[in-house]
Amino acid sequence: MDNQMFCFQCEQTAGCEACTGHAGVCGKPVEVAVAQDELTGALIGLAGTCKAAGAASENALQLIVDGLFACVTNVNFDEESLKRQTAHVRAEKAAVAQSAGVAERPDYAMGQIWNADEDIRSLKSLVLFGVRGAAAYAYHARALGKRDGAIDSFFVDALAQLAEPGSVDVLFPLALKVGEVNLSCMALLDEANTSTFGVPAPASVTMDVESGPFIVVTGHDLLDLKLLLEQTEGRGVNVYTHGEMLPAHAYPELNKYEHLKGNFGTAWQNQKREFDGIPGALLYTTNCLMPPKGSYSDRVFTTGTVAYPDCPVIGEDKDFTPVIERAIELGGYAEPQHFTGVNGGSVLTTGFAQGTVLSVADTVIDTVKQGAIKHFFLVAGCDGARSGRSYYTDFVKATPSDTVVLTLACGKYRFNDLDLGAIGGLPRLMDMGQCNDAYSAIQVAVALAEAFECGVNDLPLSMVLSWYEQKAVCILLTLLYLGIKNIKLGPTLPAFISPNVLNLLVENYGIAPITTPEADLAELLGD
């Protein structure tokens, strides 16, 4: 399928099969999809060359992480920047081969995967998309100076294996290995975030916007936010988080800035409506960019791996002066604005990461033993535009008052403005952070299992997950690597999972699609 679009890596893929026309549902034109396939093929060739050479250069490892991240959904829509990345990858491939005196491996033609036997295609896609997600976490950790040679080596190995014929017996364990390595990635990122920005603490965040110049920061990169806060201090420009940046308010080294005012808007797929005519500047730090409308495209800036044609890019020097000057020029709202979430609430809470929850573990355990808490639900994952995602709102609303809802990632915007009350002094709804913070949820589950002297699967804990892109894929693989069973997944199952691979997941892990909130709640609670 060379030189034409074939993309089925995200949940919104056309017809739950694949985007094959002139543009993907995400707005990605065919030229960009082809450029991403070419970049991926070059990365596989680079990985194979590094394997043949017996080592990967530092530049090769950086290019692999950056290139994988650039191909995650809603990161890069700019054909020219992708071509430049591909050229850098090819040049490094040649340099590695020459230095080691080995034959340079050719770029891999992605059509060999897309046209393969459906089970091989399914498993290779699962590995590739999982590695893309894990590379995103590694990218953020690298930005904060944290690296792990074993993680870097695995990216090389996994990509190189995609060029091999493959079999179910080889590729299924490789997919689980992606989950194992992603757990290490998330642990590394958790260490990087907490050592740099402090341990998250519960915070209440307003959705109101004050008058005057302002900047909205979206994506996931906390370091970019920190640098922007430093550069805007004393400039009369307020800063608001958006989407997955909401948990930034829980970190002491970010929350200390008085001009970090609140959170603007909700999840990524609502950008075109919520950003329409916004009188402030917009900074995209990582994935979750939607093709901007003309009413606000002249105030969009990108940085890092994010790119969109004709949008100004803040380079590696991270000088945000153009963003700040644009915000001042736009002037902001003349009067304070009152905004609400999808359910009418105007205050969001966050900061219930592992440090907070485990600090009150005795209270949680006692409350469970006393019977006040009967069940925990992890309702987490990506949000998206496909119909059916109201399921997650209805599910959370229907959870009994003696249950606790843990959440993370942008799917929480379906319900995080609800007031579910409290149990034993603890809120029934606890936001644990970004999708990057799934490690916190895992650590809490493991700690509870240890406290009750049982396995995680024996806990009164159910996972009801929503997925959209490749970071959700690698988190799912991590949960499977850990042996966690009976996950409910929706709103649809991944298009790249073949019937036979799905059967493997069902038989070994009990994965099941969501049905209705009422039926799923009854099943999970044993009613």
Side-chain angles (χ1 to χ4, degrees):
M1 297 186 182
D2 293 336
N3 300 318
Q4 59 178 301
M5 182 174 220
F6 181 83
C7 187
F8 61 173
Q9 70 173 347
C10 79
E11 191 275 332
Q12 68 182 1
T13 192
C16 293
E17 293 183 358
C19 293
T20 57
H22 296 294
V25 175
C26 67
K28 183 189 305 173
V30 61
E31 294 82 7
V32 170
V34 169
Q36 289 183 328
D37 274 0
E38 290 179 349
L39 174 56
T40 302
L43 291 171
I44 293 172
L46 173 59
T49 303
C50 290
K51 287 284 287 183
S57 65
E58 291 302 313
N59 191 41
L61 295 172
Q62 185 68 58
L63 287 169
I64 286 172
V65 169
D66 290 351
L68 287 169
F69 194 7
C71 293
V72 169
T73 304
N74 291 13
V75 172
N76 193 318
F77 292 77
D78 185 20
E79 179 187 5
E80 293 306 313
S81 73
L82 291 166
K83 287 183 174 180
R84 287 193 296 271
Q85 278 187 281
T86 302
H88 292 317
V89 170
R90 287 171 176 161
E92 184 62 23
K93 179 155 62 87
V96 169
Q98 183 178 18
S99 176
V102 299
E104 181 181 341
R105 297 298 188 265
D107 288 1
Y108 185 75
M110 294 304 294
Q112 293 182 63
I113 293 180
W114 311 146
N115 292 316
D117 165 85
E118 68 172 356
D119 294 334
I120 300 303
R121 180 178 78 168
S122 179
L123 288 168
K124 284 192 173 184
S125 297
L126 189 58
V127 170
L128 174 61
F129 303 155
V131 168
R132 283 177 177 172
Y137 298 134
Y139 174 94
H140 289 299
R142 276 173 168 259
L144 296 173
K146 298 291 185 179
R147 290 184 51 189
D148 184 325
I151 293 172
D152 291 340
S153 295
F154 176 75
F155 290 152
V156 174
D157 291 341
L159 286 174
Q161 286 194 57
L162 292 177
E164 301 298 325
S167 67
V168 173
D169 290 342
V170 171
L171 291 170
F172 191 71
L174 180 59
L176 295 181
K177 184 68 176 180
V178 174
E180 179 184 1
V181 171
N182 183 60
L183 181 63
S184 298
C185 279
M186 291 192 297
L188 191 68
L189 179 56
D190 181 76
E191 178 189 356
N193 283 337
T194 54
S195 63
T196 305
F197 308 113
V199 177
S204 295
V205 185
T206 181
M207 297 187 72
D208 292 343
V209 177
E210 298 181 7
S211 59
F214 68 96
I215 298 168
V216 174
V217 184
T218 190
H220 303 74
D221 199 296
L222 298 177
L223 180 59
D224 283 339
L225 176 60
K226 176 71 158 58
L227 296 173
L228 178 68
L229 288 168
E230 291 174 351
Q231 293 176 38
T232 48
E233 194 166 24
R235 299 290 303 275
V237 176
N238 290 328
V239 176
Y240 295 84
T241 56
H242 172 265
E244 286 273 59
M245 293 297 280
L246 168 63
H249 293 273
Y251 287 93
E253 291 302 309
L254 298 174
N255 193 36
K256 71 181 183 181
Y257 290 91
E258 294 183 358
H259 60 297
L260 178 61
K261 291 293 185 178
N263 190 75
F264 184 95
T266 55
W268 66 270
Q269 78 277 359
N270 299 319
Q271 287 172 38
K272 290 189 175 183
R273 172 173 54 83
E274 294 176 346
F275 291 172
D276 188 20
I278 183 174
L282 300 161
L283 177 63
Y284 288 81
T285 65
T286 59
N287 55 306
C288 297
L289 180 149
M290 290 190 74
K293 292 173 61 176
S295 64
Y296 64 87
S297 61
D298 64 341
R299 57 212 64 183
V300 170
F301 297 82
T302 68
T303 191
T305 58
V306 191
Y308 195 84
D310 301 323
C311 287
V313 178
I314 304 301
E316 293 182 2
D317 62 355
K318 299 296 182 180
D319 181 357
F320 293 112
T321 299
V323 189
I324 298 167
E325 291 179 344
R326 186 68 176 120
I328 293 171
E329 180 183 6
L330 289 164
Y333 294 107
E335 301 292 336
Q337 302 292 305
H338 179 70
F339 296 105
T340 63
V342 297
N343 301 289
S346 59
V347 176
L348 309 176
T349 58
T350 190
F352 291 90
Q354 60 169 322
T356 295
V357 177
L358 295 182
S359 71
V360 294
D362 290 345
T363 300
V364 174
I365 292 165
D366 288 343
T367 308
V368 173
K369 289 181 176 179
Q370 293 165 10
I373 295 178
K374 297 289 179 58
H375 207 88
F376 295 87
F377 295 100
L378 176 63
V379 186
C382 315
D383 206 357
R386 191 187 295 275
S387 61
R389 287 183 179 268
S390 59
Y391 165 96
Y392 297 94
T393 309
D394 297 337
F395 184 95
V396 170
K397 285 181 176 179
T399 54
S401 59
D402 57 2
T403 64
V404 169
V405 177
L406 306 173
T407 190
L408 52 82
C410 64
K412 63 175 169 271
Y413 280 101
R414 294 279 172 172
F415 50 79
N416 67 339
D417 62 325
L418 293 170
D419 183 359
L420 299 185
I423 302 178
L426 301 171
R428 281 193 57 226
L429 176 61
M430 301 186 197
D431 174 19
M432 306 189 81
Q434 300 179 339
C435 65
N436 299 13
D437 298 309
Y439 183 72
S440 276
I442 292 170
Q443 292 304 103
V444 167
V446 170
L448 288 174
E450 291 176 351
F452 288 105
E453 298 182 344
C454 66
V456 172
N457 291 314
D458 300 315
L459 288 170
L461 168 67
S462 300
M463 298 191 181
V464 183
L465 307 182
S466 56
W467 83 283
Y468 174 72
E469 40 89 310
Q470 297 74 64
K471 289 193 284 184
V473 173
C474 67
I475 291 172
L476 178 62
L477 290 174
T478 294
L479 297 175
L480 299 184
Y481 159 71
L482 292 170
I484 294 174
K485 297 184 177 182
N486 303 318
I487 296 169
K488 296 286 186 182
L489 183 64
T492 63
L493 295 178
F496 53 84
I497 298 296
S498 69
N500 287 334
V501 173
L502 178 60
N503 286 338
L504 274 176
L505 297 177
V506 172
E507 291 171 4
N508 289 285
Y509 302 99
I511 284 182
I514 59 172
T515 59
T516 67
E518 297 78 14
D520 289 346
L521 267 172
E523 176 189 345
L524 296 172
L525 291 172
D527 296 340

